Amino acid sequence: MSNILRSILLGALVLSSAQLWATAPTSGLLLNSVEAKGISQQVAELPLLAKSVEAMAEGLNAFMSIDMDVPVPRDAGGGYTHERHKKNGQAIYEAATLYQVTGEQRYADFAVALLLRYADLYPKIGPHPEHKHQAPGKLFWQILNDAVWLVYVIQGYDQLQDVLTPEQKELIARNLLNPYVKYLSVDSSETFNKVHNHGTWAAAAVGMTGLVLGNQEYVDIALKGSAKDGHSGFLKQIEALFSPDGYYTEGPYYQRYALMPFVVFARALDRVQPQWDIFKYRDGVLLKAIYACINLSYNNLFFPLNDAIKDKGLDTIELVYGVDIAYALTKDKGLLSVAANQQQVIVSGDGLLVAQAIAAQQQQPFDYSSMLFRDGANGDEGGVAVLRSDDAKSALVVKAAGQGMGHGHFDRLGWLYYDHGNEIVSDYGAARYLNVVTKRGGVYLPENNTWAKQSIAHNTLVVDERSHFNGKLGKASESSAKVSVFSDKLNAVSVVEANAYPGVSFERTMGLIQTALLDSPLVLDLMTIRSSTKHQYDLPLHYAGQLTYISEQPKVALNTMETLGKKHGYQHLWKKGWLPVNGSAAQVTWLKGNRFYSLNTLLPKDSQILFAELGANDPEFNLRRENALVLRQTGRKDTHFVSVLESHGEYNGVREYTKQPTSQVRGLEHHVDKDLSLVLVELDGGARIVVAKADSVDPDQQHTLAFNGKRYQWRGHLAIFEESSNDGK
């Protein structure tokens, strides 16, 4: 047992309840005195809670051991004053929480002293001297950080009300809390009323302060905007920023960040003013958003859509809050398995409930299944399809959403693939090293614009070496892709993009086909392109792993390399090799982890496969060295790209054996007859998988197509047939 845990238990034994906890409970934004007492009495029996309390105490004790400092703000993000104010705000919250849990006066004294120092500083400072393009804060260079600071600090103040004197409360409210609210909501009204995650943080800070101070005006403007007309504010943000399925348009990485003020303020409001019934607002979309964030992940990491740091996952603190709060409201035992993997809980009443349930071994596996997450406030701006295998070991992600605001990438109809714990067909995410000061202070790097956002950096169609919408955010934001058909029964989706290039439309049909003919799911990729004029069409595939087989010998750049192009991301790709393809199927296999992956692709005459490596025109070595295949067709109007990706075999370097390193796909055909088509995948031994597709998306329409003496009949947009080696043609 640690010294920290021992002191908590000793305090609970020696001191009476009246000594340990105030007789008048705190308002209890996320923790009240009764819950704090429960944590103290049960912590030794709840390993996950004990670990969380100990981690909080260890970090805070180390921080308390250094000299207290509340400096005059001068530095932008990453600088000393920025980081110090951030840590001070967190310390006020943590010290006040630990005071409630342990009863140790030193924590309360520390938090009160910090609050009084801020009450002395705040009236003396104006807008931050280092603000640039963002709206300025006072403690921080952008007002977003000021709002985040107050969200934590007001929770700390809430826990200290039984130790603060009336004079101290009046001073802190007069010099710090009320002026702070005024700066956020009045002086910075443009940000406060913005329907954006910056506005959400500001609304949460103001609303939670109102709940603690008993100021209903603060609560009302937080919920309904400065004018209290509902055109802005927290309720409007709930309506506008999430789709009906809980998807946040900037993607799961930013959904994770944006989720924090939503769930924290909503939970505080639910506890203090339950009459709002906030978690049922708009058909319970806030709870849906928590579930969506979990479902938009694989192996505990978020799908790296748009500007995403790829090592962010379900153990991030925002999702710890989300999962604990969602469990407290739903008692969904599947959430407990997510919480157990997070290895921590919030030191709150909700965290106590989760820790109790996990200690009682009530957790069940979370249900990861195939789902479509619609985009847009009305669900009519495309979406993201997640197709999973029955055992959830494989996941195919198809993005056909809106642009995703400023953090969006030009990647309409792009896809990713995961299998057996690994990213197989990858997305770069963001070009940024968060908080690494030697990489331009941790901000987004220039290569985020020149590479990561460009279409060639994704697994999607590129026309004439130009990114979608010519790389223009405003134009891209005017429209979205379209999800024509989503079938969780077939595990397939058809999506369309008609605006990315003038005069060019492209449709992509993808499926994760599970069949008794193969040991692992087969990924189908059928892209149909329509244009009245000729173009160069590039279809990149960014693969993670080492090439082990190419069906024919490519030409390889052995001594010198050139780039694939000069702009739109092409300038960052070295051309390492090229393979001419003349109307036949080609096969490329790579090894990732202990499995092999074979791309079988059918290209028309005079096409080629380019082998590329990322890293050209990168003077600061900012880009990771990753590899791509680029399927290229030139001088085409209407055309198709047809591919299947197979997972197979096993490589065991420890025991020194390899099983089935070659693909079972032996042939690939594509037959088109007007508005109907077939993709025929021939396997070893003569068995076949046939995918039948109609242009029509009418689910009741009947279709018939004959090919090589065999008739295929189906209803609706798609159908999948399995043919054993004994089936006749």
Side-chain angles (χ1 to χ4, degrees):
M1 184 184 296
S2 72
N3 291 333
I4 294 167
L5 185 57
R6 187 177 291 109
S7 69
I8 296 173
L9 295 174
L10 184 62
L13 289 172
V14 173
L15 299 176
S16 68
S17 297
Q19 291 171 305
L20 247 178
W21 297 280
T23 53
T26 63
S27 65
L29 289 181
L30 295 183
L31 174 71
N32 62 36
S33 54
V34 174
E35 293 163 333
K37 182 177 180 180
I39 291 172
S40 180
Q41 291 176 335
Q42 300 178 51
V43 65
E45 303 166 5
L46 305 174
L48 201 56
L49 182 60
K51 180 179 179 181
S52 302
V53 172
E54 288 178 357
M56 178 181 284
E58 287 175 2
L60 181 62
N61 289 342
F63 186 74
M64 289 171 62
S65 68
I66 64 177
D67 291 338
M68 186 178 292
D69 188 17
V70 180
V72 174
R74 65 173 184 271
D75 301 314
Y80 171 75
T81 63
H82 177 97
E83 292 302 313
R84 186 66 194 218
H85 288 303
K86 190 166 88 172
K87 291 175 182 176
N88 283 347
Q90 186 77 20
I92 291 170
Y93 157 72
E94 291 180 350
T97 300
L98 286 171
Y99 162 69
Q100 283 290 327
V101 171
T102 69
E104 290 191 43
Q105 189 64 36
R106 66 188 182 97
Y107 289 128
D109 292 343
F110 178 78
V112 169
L114 262 180
L115 275 170
L116 293 174
R117 294 278 291 272
Y118 275 103
D120 178 65
L121 172 70
Y122 199 75
K124 301 175 183 177
I125 58 176
H128 197 283
E130 285 296 319
H131 75 87
K132 295 192 173 21
H133 302 298
Q134 303 285 1
K138 294 183 74 172
L139 294 178
F140 302 94
W141 70 298
Q142 61 174 345
I143 199 167
L144 167 65
N145 301 97
D146 285 59
V148 173
W149 187 88
L150 185 56
V151 166
Y152 282 99
V153 167
I154 195 60
Q155 293 180 70
Y157 178 86
D158 181 43
Q159 301 301 325
L160 296 169
Q161 293 191 73
D162 62 308
V163 296
L164 287 165
T165 67
E167 293 77 17
Q168 288 172 331
K169 289 181 180 179
E170 194 276 333
L171 174 65
I172 293 169
R174 183 183 71 244
N175 284 9
L176 179 63
L177 297 179
N178 288 322
Y180 210 111
V181 166
K182 178 179 179 294
Y183 188 77
L184 288 177
S185 61
V186 178
D187 301 344
S188 307
S189 60
E190 182 178 353
T191 298
F192 182 75
N193 292 307
K194 183 181 292 186
V195 180
H196 185 272
N197 78 75
H198 291 200
T200 309
W201 277 103
V206 170
M208 291 169 71
T209 302
L211 292 174
V212 174
L213 297 183
N215 188 321
Q216 191 60 40
E217 176 71 10
Y218 291 174
V219 177
D220 290 342
I221 63 171
L223 290 172
K224 300 179 181 180
S226 295
K228 293 189 285 188
D229 59 5
H231 294 306
S232 60
F234 192 69
L235 298 180
K236 182 65 175 180
Q237 289 156 356
I238 294 175
E239 294 170 9
L241 291 179
F242 295 103
S243 80
D245 301 320
Y247 179 74
Y248 184 73
T249 191
E250 291 183 295
Y253 174 83
Y254 270 92
Q255 175 156 344
R256 169 267 332 165
Y257 181 72
L259 197 62
M260 184 74 158
F262 276 108
V263 298
V264 171
F265 180 30
R267 187 57 171 141
L269 190 69
D270 191 53
R271 287 163 61 96
V272 181
Q273 295 187 2
Q275 66 270 22
W276 291 99
D277 216 2
I278 193 67
F279 282 103
K280 292 183 179 179
Y281 189 76
R282 202 185 160 210
D283 195 29
V285 74
L286 287 182
L287 283 174
K288 290 180 181 179
I290 297 170
Y291 278 89
C293 225
I294 298 170
N295 276 293
L296 289 164
S297 72
Y298 178 86
N299 199 21
N300 293 320
L301 294 176
F302 296 122
F303 298 134
L305 306 179
N306 297 326
D307 281 342
I309 307 298
K310 297 184 72 170
D311 54 6
K312 281 284 188 183
L314 299 184
D315 58 351
T316 187
I317 190 63
E318 296 89 348
L319 255 292
V320 177
Y321 272 88
V323 169
D324 289 0
I325 289 169
Y327 175 75
L329 295 169
T330 67
K331 301 302 186 292
D332 179 357
K333 295 179 180 179
L335 292 170
L336 296 176
S337 63
V338 179
N341 286 333
Q342 290 173 330
Q343 289 293 298
Q344 61 176 316
V345 293
I346 302 303
V347 183
S348 70
D350 295 340
L352 174 62
L353 290 175
V354 170
Q356 290 170 332
I358 290 175
Q361 298 183 342
Q362 295 179 9
Q363 62 262 43
Q364 296 176 358
F366 187 84
D367 181 21
Y368 290 100
S369 56
S370 297
M371 301 181 72
L372 173 66
F373 296 93
R374 291 171 293 170
D375 193 10
N378 298 316
D380 56 359
E381 298 177 23
V384 174
V386 181
L387 306 175
R388 298 185 191 266
S389 58
D390 292 338
D391 59 8
K393 290 183 179 179
S394 304
L396 169 64
V397 183
V398 182
K399 186 186 177 199
Q403 181 59 26
M405 297 191 284
H407 287 294
H409 288 191
F410 299 99
D411 59 349
R412 299 285 170 89
L413 312 196
W415 66 291
L416 303 88
Y417 185 59
Y418 299 82
D419 183 61
H420 281 72
N422 293 311
E423 187 179 33
I424 306 305
V425 176
S426 63
D427 190 284
Y428 192 85
R432 182 185 188 185
Y433 295 85
L434 186 63
N435 289 333
V436 179
V437 294
T438 52
K439 283 295 187 181
R440 297 202 177 195
V443 301
Y444 285 103
L445 298 166
E447 289 78 12
N448 198 57
N449 290 322
T450 61
W451 167 252
K453 288 190 174 187
Q454 302 297 325
S455 299
I456 191 64
H458 303 87
N459 306 297
T460 187
L461 180 70
V462 187
V463 178
D464 297 331
E465 299 185 16
R466 292 181 295 109
S467 286
H468 300 169
F469 303 97
N470 210 31
K472 303 300 182 183
L473 173 62
K475 188 65 177 176
S477 301
E478 294 174 1
S479 64
S480 62
K482 178 182 178 182
V483 179
S484 301
V485 172
F486 174 80
S487 172
D488 53 0
K489 180 179 179 181
L490 292 178
N491 231 15
V493 64
S494 282
V495 291
V496 177
E497 174 55 48
N499 300 293
Y501 297 103
V504 178
S505 66
F506 51 106
E507 177 193 56
R508 196 165 207 167
T509 297
M510 300 200 72
L512 190 62
I513 301 172
Q514 300 177 97
T515 168
L517 300 175
L518 293 171
D519 295 331
S520 299
L522 188 72
V523 178
L524 166 75
D525 182 15
L526 170 60
M527 179 171 283
T528 300
I529 305 166
R530 294 183 173 89
S531 174
S532 58
T533 56
K534 293 182 178 180
H535 297 279
Q536 174 184 296
Y537 299 122
D538 286 345
L539 189 60
L541 184 140
H542 298 267
Y543 64 92
Q546 177 61 45
L547 293 179
T548 60
Y549 174 76
I550 304 171
S551 55
E552 295 184 38
Q553 178 60 47
K555 299 176 182 179
V556 180
L558 297 176
N559 298 308
T560 60
M561 289 187 292
E562 60 183 12
T563 61
L564 286 192
K566 296 182 179 180
K567 56 184 178 180
H568 288 266
Y570 281 75
Q571 74 275 21
H572 290 300
L573 287 170
W574 291 116
K575 183 179 178 181
K576 298 189 70 176
W578 57 101
L579 174 66
V581 180
N582 288 300
S584 61
Q587 188 180 105
V588 178
T589 302
W590 63 92
L591 174 66
K592 177 65 177 178
N594 67 342
R595 295 178 68 77
F596 297 91
Y597 299 89
S598 290
L599 179 75
N600 297 270
T601 186
L602 183 63
L603 293 171
K605 186 178 180 181
D606 298 327
S607 302
Q608 58 180 321
I609 300 175
L610 305 175
F611 297 82
E613 180 179 332
L614 185 60
N617 289 298
D618 183 20
E620 297 179 6
F621 298 99
N622 287 331
L623 294 171
R624 302 188 297 269
R625 295 304 183 261
E626 298 186 356
N627 297 299
L629 308 172
V630 180
L631 313 181
R632 173 169 289 179
Q633 300 183 35
T634 57
R636 304 278 175 181
K637 296 182 180 179
D638 296 352
T639 191
H640 302 273
F641 286 94
V642 183
S643 300
V644 292
L645 177 65
E646 179 195 1
S647 167
H648 56 90
E650 180 186 357
Y651 169 76
N652 193 313
V654 176
R655 298 185 180 181
E656 298 184 357
Y657 69 78
T658 299
K659 295 180 180 179
Q660 196 190 329
T662 58
S663 174
Q664 295 184 67
V665 176
R666 285 293 168 263
L668 190 59
E669 293 182 80
H670 184 220
H671 174 64
V672 180
D673 186 353
K674 298 179 181 178
D675 59 349
L676 304 177
S677 63
L678 301 172
V679 175
L680 303 100
V681 185
E682 184 178 352
L683 306 176
D684 280 341
R688 282 199 312 194
I689 299 168
V690 181
V691 179
K693 175 181 173 294
D695 287 352
S696 170
V697 297
D698 183 347
D700 297 319
Q701 188 170 345
Q702 292 276 4
H703 307 285
T704 302
L705 181 57
F707 179 69
N708 278 357
K710 187 174 181 66
R711 290 170 61 85
Y712 296 93
Q713 293 181 315
W714 72 98
R715 182 193 300 269
H717 182 60
L718 289 172
I720 299 172
F721 303 92
E722 296 180 15
E723 299 176 356
S724 70
S725 57
N726 296 322
D727 290 342
K729 290 187 177 180

